[in-house]
Amino acid sequence: MLRLAGARLLDDRDYPAVRAALAADPVGSCMVSARVEAAGLDPWRLGGELWAADSRPVRAGRLQGLCFSGPNLIPLRGNAPALRSFADRALRRQRTCSSLVGPAEQVLGLWAELEDEWGPAREIRDDQPLMALDTLPLIPADPLVRPVRPDELERYLPAAVAMFIEEVGVDPRSGDGGASYRARVTELIGAGRAFARFENGEVVFKAEIGAMSASVGQIQGVWVHPDRRGDGLGTAGTAAVVNRLVRGLGRTASLYVNAFNTPALAAYRKIGFKQVGQYATVLF
């Protein structure tokens, strides 16, 4: 297959064009915007690279393609030639990302270019409604859902691990014994972005604010203890996290969910979430 010369690594000269591209879709680009706002475009501080399909810095106008390469590969925009250039750059090195995730059209288009060498995927989730809510929830929030304290890590961590296994299909403790996942959960707790309802010292509901940009917070890791499912804890608990984002932090609340998860979709719509886009995820 004929390929382009490859994508270009972005640098500080490209910052205005990158910020404009991210601002054009603040909900869809939240994961990348949060990193860029905190770290700029330097790969070491960013924890990955930002690529463009353009052959030279864009001082004015619109980037034709934009892709983040780090723990996840996140193509945010780009037509077929741009996706081919991203694939060319990705294939020059050994795969280190755990997934492709982002806008469905770009993710599935990029995967079509990578599948022959990176496949087979462990799972492809090709229809994940991206939802957002910028007002207070339509239902009462659970008053017992609160930020997790640092001294509650050991009680919170088993619920976080259970959620991860259910959602992703692998144990986050594999490989390094869970050190990396524990560090990430500790970081979220320390930042006040892990929330739970405890009953008798046990977590019965949990959720986190993962990526958080200047305008959007992405809710992740929503989980209800198996013994308490069907009691409405997930809906009221998520509403509490929305309250924290919208009223407490001045952000739009966002999340994405598998289209086949009809109970979750119904719960999020009950809270007031509306679909604003479509994501897809390719898991390795």
Side-chain angles (χ1 to χ4, degrees):
M1 178 183 294
L2 180 64
R3 294 195 181 275
L4 303 182
R8 176 175 63 87
L9 178 64
L10 296 174
D11 59 34
D12 288 339
R13 294 172 296 173
D14 302 289
Y15 189 79
V18 170
R19 292 294 297 128
L22 297 175
D25 183 11
V27 175
S29 66
C30 176
M31 288 185 284
V32 177
S33 293
R35 287 176 173 268
V36 171
E37 290 169 6
L41 301 186
D42 176 74
W44 187 84
R45 288 183 287 114
L46 189 63
E49 298 179 345
L50 267 178
W51 304 339
D54 309 82
S55 60
R56 60 182 61 86
V58 179
R59 291 181 173 81
R62 176 186 174 95
L63 285 170
Q64 298 305 306
L66 184 63
C67 182
F68 173 76
S69 175
N72 303 298
L73 191 59
I74 309 175
L76 288 176
R77 63 164 58 185
N79 56 17
L83 296 176
R84 284 196 294 272
S85 74
F86 296 150
D88 178 81
R89 189 173 184 102
L91 290 170
R92 293 178 193 174
R93 63 190 78 182
Q94 184 177 5
R95 179 183 66 78
T96 57
C97 61
S98 61
S99 70
L100 270 69
V101 61
E105 181 179 358
Q106 279 67 45
V107 166
L108 298 176
L110 182 55
W111 179 238
E113 298 290 335
L114 295 171
E115 184 175 10
D116 285 348
E117 296 191 45
W118 280 12
R122 182 167 57 83
E123 185 178 354
I124 298 175
R125 301 175 178 180
D126 59 1
D127 186 3
Q128 297 178 304
L130 177 66
M131 311 183 83
L133 176 59
D134 61 3
T135 62
L136 294 180
L138 300 179
I139 65 167
D142 185 343
L144 298 181
V145 169
R146 58 171 177 78
V148 179
R149 299 190 306 265
D151 65 291
E152 294 172 318
L153 171 65
E154 299 303 333
R155 286 191 284 167
Y156 182 80
L157 194 59
V161 169
M163 175 281 304
F164 195 97
I165 293 172
E166 286 186 30
E167 177 62 24
V168 182
V170 296
D171 192 326
R173 298 166 297 186
S174 61
D176 64 357
S180 297
Y181 188 66
R182 182 188 183 92
R184 174 57 177 159
V185 172
T186 301
E187 178 185 7
L188 288 169
I189 292 174
R193 286 159 49 186
F195 299 83
R197 173 173 170 152
F198 291 87
E199 291 182 0
N200 300 317
E202 185 177 27
V203 174
V204 295
F205 165 84
K206 67 162 289 293
E208 297 146 2
I209 302 170
M212 189 164 68
S213 71
S215 60
V216 179
Q218 190 174 86
I219 298 172
Q220 66 179 29
V222 178
W223 179 87
V224 176
H225 192 286
D227 293 344
R228 298 298 307 277
R229 290 174 187 175
D231 293 347
L233 291 180
T235 307
T238 303
V241 182
V242 171
N243 264 345
R244 175 61 177 159
L245 273 168
V246 174
R247 183 165 57 189
L249 298 172
R251 263 78 166 182
T252 293
S254 76
L255 51 81
Y256 61 99
V257 60
N258 294 313
F260 58 75
N261 191 347
T262 52
L265 271 172
Y268 297 143
R269 288 172 178 146
K270 184 177 181 181
I271 293 167
F273 280 95
K274 304 292 185 183
Q275 183 170 352
V276 297
Q278 183 182 2
Y279 260 29
T281 303
V282 179
L283 294 169
F284 300 118

PDB file of all heavy atoms in Angstrom, residues 177-201:
ATOM      1  N   GLY A 177       2.294  -5.886  39.090  1.00  0.00           N
ATOM      2  CA  GLY A 177       1.709  -6.132  40.393  1.00  0.00           C
ATOM      3  C   GLY A 177       0.717  -5.075  40.834  1.00  0.00           C
ATOM      4  O   GLY A 177       0.312  -5.049  42.000  1.00  0.00           O
ATOM      5  N   GLY A 178       0.337  -4.221  39.909  1.00  0.00           N
ATOM      6  CA  GLY A 178      -0.643  -3.189  40.226  1.00  0.00           C
ATOM      7  C   GLY A 178      -0.047  -1.868  40.651  1.00  0.00           C
ATOM      8  O   GLY A 178      -0.790  -0.940  41.003  1.00  0.00           O
ATOM      9  N   ALA A 179       1.280  -1.736  40.607  1.00  0.00           N
ATOM     10  CA  ALA A 179       1.909  -0.492  41.080  1.00  0.00           C
ATOM     11  C   ALA A 179       1.468   0.717  40.264  1.00  0.00           C
ATOM     12  O   ALA A 179       1.172   1.780  40.828  1.00  0.00           O
ATOM     13  CB  ALA A 179       3.432  -0.636  41.037  1.00  0.00           C
ATOM     14  N   SER A 180       1.416   0.574  38.943  1.00  0.00           N
ATOM     15  CA  SER A 180       1.045   1.712  38.093  1.00  0.00           C
ATOM     16  C   SER A 180      -0.407   2.114  38.321  1.00  0.00           C
ATOM     17  O   SER A 180      -0.730   3.309  38.411  1.00  0.00           O
ATOM     18  CB  SER A 180       1.273   1.368  36.615  1.00  0.00           C
ATOM     19  OG  SER A 180       2.623   1.125  36.367  1.00  0.00           O
ATOM     20  N   TYR A 181      -1.278   1.119  38.413  1.00  0.00           N
ATOM     21  CA  TYR A 181      -2.692   1.435  38.614  1.00  0.00           C
ATOM     22  C   TYR A 181      -2.914   2.042  39.988  1.00  0.00           C
ATOM     23  O   TYR A 181      -3.668   3.010  40.144  1.00  0.00           O
ATOM     24  CB  TYR A 181      -3.536   0.173  38.440  1.00  0.00           C
ATOM     25  CG  TYR A 181      -5.020   0.445  38.442  1.00  0.00           C
ATOM     26  CD1 TYR A 181      -5.616   1.180  37.425  1.00  0.00           C
ATOM     27  CD2 TYR A 181      -5.839  -0.022  39.472  1.00  0.00           C
ATOM     28  CE1 TYR A 181      -6.978   1.444  37.429  1.00  0.00           C
ATOM     29  CE2 TYR A 181      -7.203   0.232  39.476  1.00  0.00           C
ATOM     30  CZ  TYR A 181      -7.769   0.964  38.456  1.00  0.00           C
ATOM     31  OH  TYR A 181      -9.110   1.223  38.458  1.00  0.00           O
ATOM     32  N   ARG A 182      -2.242   1.509  40.972  1.00  0.00           N
ATOM     33  CA  ARG A 182      -2.355   2.060  42.328  1.00  0.00           C
ATOM     34  C   ARG A 182      -1.898   3.522  42.351  1.00  0.00           C
ATOM     35  O   ARG A 182      -2.534   4.364  42.980  1.00  0.00           O
ATOM     36  CB  ARG A 182      -1.516   1.225  43.293  1.00  0.00           C
ATOM     37  CG  ARG A 182      -1.607   1.683  44.754  1.00  0.00           C
ATOM     38  CD  ARG A 182      -0.604   0.925  45.614  1.00  0.00           C
ATOM     39  NE  ARG A 182      -0.721   1.305  47.017  1.00  0.00           N
ATOM     40  CZ  ARG A 182      -1.492   0.680  47.899  1.00  0.00           C
ATOM     41  NH1 ARG A 182      -2.216  -0.369  47.529  1.00  0.00           N
ATOM     42  NH2 ARG A 182      -1.548   1.088  49.149  1.00  0.00           N
ATOM     43  N   ALA A 183      -0.813   3.798  41.640  1.00  0.00           N
ATOM     44  CA  ALA A 183      -0.314   5.173  41.590  1.00  0.00           C
ATOM     45  C   ALA A 183      -1.319   6.099  40.928  1.00  0.00           C
ATOM     46  O   ALA A 183      -1.512   7.240  41.369  1.00  0.00           O
ATOM     47  CB  ALA A 183       1.024   5.216  40.849  1.00  0.00           C
ATOM     48  N   ARG A 184      -1.972   5.619  39.852  1.00  0.00           N
ATOM     49  CA  ARG A 184      -2.963   6.451  39.171  1.00  0.00           C
ATOM     50  C   ARG A 184      -4.165   6.719  40.071  1.00  0.00           C
ATOM     51  O   ARG A 184      -4.648   7.852  40.151  1.00  0.00           O
ATOM     52  CB  ARG A 184      -3.410   5.764  37.882  1.00  0.00           C
ATOM     53  CG  ARG A 184      -4.557   6.447  37.141  1.00  0.00           C
ATOM     54  CD  ARG A 184      -4.223   7.874  36.787  1.00  0.00           C
ATOM     55  NE  ARG A 184      -5.290   8.503  36.020  1.00  0.00           N
ATOM     56  CZ  ARG A 184      -5.468   9.807  35.903  1.00  0.00           C
ATOM     57  NH1 ARG A 184      -4.624  10.644  36.502  1.00  0.00           N
ATOM     58  NH2 ARG A 184      -6.454  10.300  35.174  1.00  0.00           N
ATOM     59  N   VAL A 185      -4.645   5.689  40.779  1.00  0.00           N
ATOM     60  CA  VAL A 185      -5.776   5.876  41.689  1.00  0.00           C
ATOM     61  C   VAL A 185      -5.390   6.820  42.825  1.00  0.00           C
ATOM     62  O   VAL A 185      -6.174   7.702  43.215  1.00  0.00           O
ATOM     63  CB  VAL A 185      -6.269   4.524  42.224  1.00  0.00           C
ATOM     64  CG1 VAL A 185      -7.319   4.716  43.318  1.00  0.00           C
ATOM     65  CG2 VAL A 185      -6.838   3.677  41.091  1.00  0.00           C
ATOM     66  N   THR A 186      -4.189   6.661  43.346  1.00  0.00           N
ATOM     67  CA  THR A 186      -3.702   7.555  44.396  1.00  0.00           C
ATOM     68  C   THR A 186      -3.677   9.002  43.914  1.00  0.00           C
ATOM     69  O   THR A 186      -4.044   9.932  44.648  1.00  0.00           O
ATOM     70  CB  THR A 186      -2.297   7.124  44.851  1.00  0.00           C
ATOM     71  OG1 THR A 186      -2.351   5.781  45.345  1.00  0.00           O
ATOM     72  CG2 THR A 186      -1.759   8.033  45.938  1.00  0.00           C
ATOM     73  N   GLU A 187      -3.250   9.192  42.666  1.00  0.00           N
ATOM     74  CA  GLU A 187      -3.206  10.538  42.084  1.00  0.00           C
ATOM     75  C   GLU A 187      -4.610  11.139  41.986  1.00  0.00           C
ATOM     76  O   GLU A 187      -4.820  12.318  42.319  1.00  0.00           O
ATOM     77  CB  GLU A 187      -2.570  10.468  40.700  1.00  0.00           C
ATOM     78  CG  GLU A 187      -2.504  11.796  39.963  1.00  0.00           C
ATOM     79  CD  GLU A 187      -1.981  11.652  38.550  1.00  0.00           C
ATOM     80  OE1 GLU A 187      -1.797  10.509  38.078  1.00  0.00           O
ATOM     81  OE2 GLU A 187      -1.770  12.693  37.895  1.00  0.00           O
ATOM     82  N   LEU A 188      -5.578  10.353  41.543  1.00  0.00           N
ATOM     83  CA  LEU A 188      -6.951  10.845  41.424  1.00  0.00           C
ATOM     84  C   LEU A 188      -7.533  11.208  42.787  1.00  0.00           C
ATOM     85  O   LEU A 188      -8.204  12.229  42.940  1.00  0.00           O
ATOM     86  CB  LEU A 188      -7.825   9.803  40.732  1.00  0.00           C
ATOM     87  CG  LEU A 188      -7.586   9.618  39.235  1.00  0.00           C
ATOM     88  CD1 LEU A 188      -8.322   8.381  38.731  1.00  0.00           C
ATOM     89  CD2 LEU A 188      -8.019  10.852  38.447  1.00  0.00           C
ATOM     90  N   ILE A 189      -7.273  10.363  43.766  1.00  0.00           N
ATOM     91  CA  ILE A 189      -7.761  10.656  45.121  1.00  0.00           C
ATOM     92  C   ILE A 189      -7.123  11.952  45.638  1.00  0.00           C
ATOM     93  O   ILE A 189      -7.795  12.821  46.188  1.00  0.00           O
ATOM     94  CB  ILE A 189      -7.482   9.477  46.063  1.00  0.00           C
ATOM     95  CG1 ILE A 189      -8.343   8.265  45.675  1.00  0.00           C
ATOM     96  CG2 ILE A 189      -7.739   9.880  47.517  1.00  0.00           C
ATOM     97  CD1 ILE A 189      -8.031   7.008  46.478  1.00  0.00           C
ATOM     98  N   GLY A 190      -5.811  12.073  45.448  1.00  0.00           N
ATOM     99  CA  GLY A 190      -5.114  13.255  45.923  1.00  0.00           C
ATOM    100  C   GLY A 190      -5.608  14.539  45.274  1.00  0.00           C
ATOM    101  O   GLY A 190      -5.579  15.613  45.891  1.00  0.00           O
ATOM    102  N   ALA A 191      -6.065  14.427  44.027  1.00  0.00           N
ATOM    103  CA  ALA A 191      -6.570  15.594  43.303  1.00  0.00           C
ATOM    104  C   ALA A 191      -8.035  15.873  43.607  1.00  0.00           C
ATOM    105  O   ALA A 191      -8.608  16.830  43.066  1.00  0.00           O
ATOM    106  CB  ALA A 191      -6.382  15.385  41.798  1.00  0.00           C
ATOM    107  N   GLY A 192      -8.664  15.042  44.447  1.00  0.00           N
ATOM    108  CA  GLY A 192     -10.077  15.233  44.765  1.00  0.00           C
ATOM    109  C   GLY A 192     -10.998  14.839  43.637  1.00  0.00           C
ATOM    110  O   GLY A 192     -12.127  15.338  43.539  1.00  0.00           O
ATOM    111  N   ARG A 193     -10.561  13.897  42.787  1.00  0.00           N
ATOM    112  CA  ARG A 193     -11.339  13.529  41.608  1.00  0.00           C
ATOM    113  C   ARG A 193     -11.818  12.078  41.637  1.00  0.00           C
ATOM    114  O   ARG A 193     -12.260  11.543  40.641  1.00  0.00           O
ATOM    115  CB  ARG A 193     -10.525  13.802  40.338  1.00  0.00           C
ATOM    116  CG  ARG A 193     -10.446  15.291  40.054  1.00  0.00           C
ATOM    117  CD  ARG A 193      -9.302  15.709  39.171  1.00  0.00           C
ATOM    118  NE  ARG A 193      -9.156  14.930  37.966  1.00  0.00           N
ATOM    119  CZ  ARG A 193      -8.141  15.074  37.123  1.00  0.00           C
ATOM    120  NH1 ARG A 193      -7.190  15.970  37.379  1.00  0.00           N
ATOM    121  NH2 ARG A 193      -8.051  14.326  36.041  1.00  0.00           N
ATOM    122  N   ALA A 194     -11.735  11.437  42.798  1.00  0.00           N
ATOM    123  CA  ALA A 194     -12.315  10.112  43.001  1.00  0.00           C
ATOM    124  C   ALA A 194     -13.459  10.247  43.996  1.00  0.00           C
ATOM    125  O   ALA A 194     -13.301  10.864  45.062  1.00  0.00           O
ATOM    126  CB  ALA A 194     -11.269   9.123  43.517  1.00  0.00           C
ATOM    127  N   PHE A 195     -14.609   9.670  43.662  1.00  0.00           N
ATOM    128  CA  PHE A 195     -15.820   9.842  44.467  1.00  0.00           C
ATOM    129  C   PHE A 195     -16.407   8.478  44.802  1.00  0.00           C
ATOM    130  O   PHE A 195     -16.330   7.536  44.006  1.00  0.00           O
ATOM    131  CB  PHE A 195     -16.856  10.672  43.709  1.00  0.00           C
ATOM    132  CG  PHE A 195     -16.389  12.050  43.368  1.00  0.00           C
ATOM    133  CD1 PHE A 195     -15.605  12.274  42.252  1.00  0.00           C
ATOM    134  CD2 PHE A 195     -16.709  13.124  44.183  1.00  0.00           C
ATOM    135  CE1 PHE A 195     -15.144  13.553  41.936  1.00  0.00           C
ATOM    136  CE2 PHE A 195     -16.263  14.404  43.886  1.00  0.00           C
ATOM    137  CZ  PHE A 195     -15.476  14.618  42.757  1.00  0.00           C
ATOM    138  N   ALA A 196     -17.000   8.385  45.987  1.00  0.00           N
ATOM    139  CA  ALA A 196     -17.571   7.105  46.395  1.00  0.00           C
ATOM    140  C   ALA A 196     -18.661   7.320  47.429  1.00  0.00           C
ATOM    141  O   ALA A 196     -18.709   8.343  48.121  1.00  0.00           O
ATOM    142  CB  ALA A 196     -16.490   6.180  46.956  1.00  0.00           C
ATOM    143  N   ARG A 197     -19.510   6.321  47.520  1.00  0.00           N
ATOM    144  CA  ARG A 197     -20.445   6.177  48.646  1.00  0.00           C
ATOM    145  C   ARG A 197     -19.997   4.940  49.412  1.00  0.00           C
ATOM    146  O   ARG A 197     -19.883   3.845  48.841  1.00  0.00           O
ATOM    147  CB  ARG A 197     -21.882   6.012  48.157  1.00  0.00           C
ATOM    148  CG  ARG A 197     -22.861   5.681  49.279  1.00  0.00           C
ATOM    149  CD  ARG A 197     -24.281   5.695  48.802  1.00  0.00           C
ATOM    150  NE  ARG A 197     -25.206   5.160  49.811  1.00  0.00           N
ATOM    151  CZ  ARG A 197     -26.477   5.497  49.921  1.00  0.00           C
ATOM    152  NH1 ARG A 197     -27.002   6.363  49.063  1.00  0.00           N
ATOM    153  NH2 ARG A 197     -27.247   4.971  50.850  1.00  0.00           N
ATOM    154  N   PHE A 198     -19.717   5.128  50.685  1.00  0.00           N
ATOM    155  CA  PHE A 198     -19.305   4.038  51.555  1.00  0.00           C
ATOM    156  C   PHE A 198     -20.477   3.615  52.427  1.00  0.00           C
ATOM    157  O   PHE A 198     -21.217   4.456  52.941  1.00  0.00           O
ATOM    158  CB  PHE A 198     -18.148   4.470  52.453  1.00  0.00           C
ATOM    159  CG  PHE A 198     -16.836   4.701  51.746  1.00  0.00           C
ATOM    160  CD1 PHE A 198     -16.538   5.931  51.200  1.00  0.00           C
ATOM    161  CD2 PHE A 198     -15.913   3.683  51.636  1.00  0.00           C
ATOM    162  CE1 PHE A 198     -15.330   6.157  50.562  1.00  0.00           C
ATOM    163  CE2 PHE A 198     -14.695   3.884  51.002  1.00  0.00           C
ATOM    164  CZ  PHE A 198     -14.404   5.131  50.457  1.00  0.00           C
ATOM    165  N   GLU A 199     -20.624   2.315  52.585  1.00  0.00           N
ATOM    166  CA  GLU A 199     -21.583   1.763  53.536  1.00  0.00           C
ATOM    167  C   GLU A 199     -20.877   0.689  54.347  1.00  0.00           C
ATOM    168  O   GLU A 199     -20.335  -0.262  53.770  1.00  0.00           O
ATOM    169  CB  GLU A 199     -22.799   1.179  52.813  1.00  0.00           C
ATOM    170  CG  GLU A 199     -23.682   2.238  52.150  1.00  0.00           C
ATOM    171  CD  GLU A 199     -24.913   1.643  51.490  1.00  0.00           C
ATOM    172  OE1 GLU A 199     -25.064   0.398  51.548  1.00  0.00           O
ATOM    173  OE2 GLU A 199     -25.722   2.407  50.928  1.00  0.00           O
ATOM    174  N   ASN A 200     -20.864   0.856  55.658  1.00  0.00           N
ATOM    175  CA  ASN A 200     -20.159  -0.085  56.549  1.00  0.00           C
ATOM    176  C   ASN A 200     -18.712  -0.272  56.125  1.00  0.00           C
ATOM    177  O   ASN A 200     -18.169  -1.378  56.163  1.00  0.00           O
ATOM    178  CB  ASN A 200     -20.888  -1.433  56.584  1.00  0.00           C
ATOM    179  CG  ASN A 200     -22.312  -1.310  57.092  1.00  0.00           C
ATOM    180  OD1 ASN A 200     -22.583  -0.600  58.061  1.00  0.00           O
ATOM    181  ND2 ASN A 200     -23.241  -1.988  56.428  1.00  0.00           N
ATOM    182  N   GLY A 201     -18.098   0.830  55.691  1.00  0.00           N
ATOM    183  CA  GLY A 201     -16.698   0.803  55.308  1.00  0.00           C
ATOM    184  C   GLY A 201     -16.417   0.253  53.936  1.00  0.00           C
ATOM    185  O   GLY A 201     -15.244   0.154  53.545  1.00  0.00           O
TER     186      GLY A 201
END
